[in-house]
Amino acid sequence: MEFRRRVPRQPAGWDGVCQIEGEFASRCRIIDISMLGVGITLDHPSPHALVGRQITVDIPAIGDSASLRLEGRITSARLTLRASVRVGIEFNNPSAELASKV
């Protein structure tokens, strides 16, 4: 059976700062992005405790470009081979997120 996503992802490779509800902000890496969500990697001691929590991802401006803030709910979290955590985030309100960025 072939797995298909609702919308295609685009590779990103951006550094950012993630704020998980109830925790201190930390560095993260934005791996990919779509109209509905974003995939990131970060360091966290309890990946299983992340699912369902709210998160804010800030991507700072580089040079004269615009900074970006994304907000959503963590839908998946798993360890990677490099011992970081791969997190899937679904935007809280995808259409509003996109409209505010245009």
Side-chain angles (χ1 to χ4, degrees):
M1 180 176 190
E2 186 176 327
F3 179 74
R4 294 187 183 227
R5 299 199 166 272
R6 292 183 285 173
V7 293
R9 295 186 210 177
Q10 299 299 316
W14 309 319
D15 291 321
V17 176
C18 295
Q19 175 72 50
I20 299 167
E21 68 176 325
E23 296 188 16
F24 292 105
S26 62
R27 293 177 185 235
C28 59
R29 180 113 175 127
I30 296 79
I31 303 301
D32 55 48
I33 190 166
S34 76
M35 291 183 359
L36 300 178
V38 64
I40 66 170
T41 56
L42 52 81
D43 293 325
H44 196 276
S46 304
H48 63 279
L50 295 174
V51 176
R53 294 173 70 187
Q54 292 294 313
I55 186 170
T56 301
V57 180
D58 288 312
I59 304 163
I62 299 172
D64 292 334
S65 64
S67 62
L68 188 62
R69 172 172 272 199
L70 306 169
E71 298 177 352
R73 182 179 56 83
I74 298 172
T75 58
S76 64
R78 62 178 169 78
L79 284 174
T80 68
L81 294 176
R82 295 184 178 153
S84 61
V85 180
R86 171 72 156 86
V87 174
I89 301 165
E90 182 178 275
F91 295 139
N92 288 335
N93 187 344
S95 57
E97 284 283 330
L98 292 173
S100 69
K101 307 303 181 233
V102 175

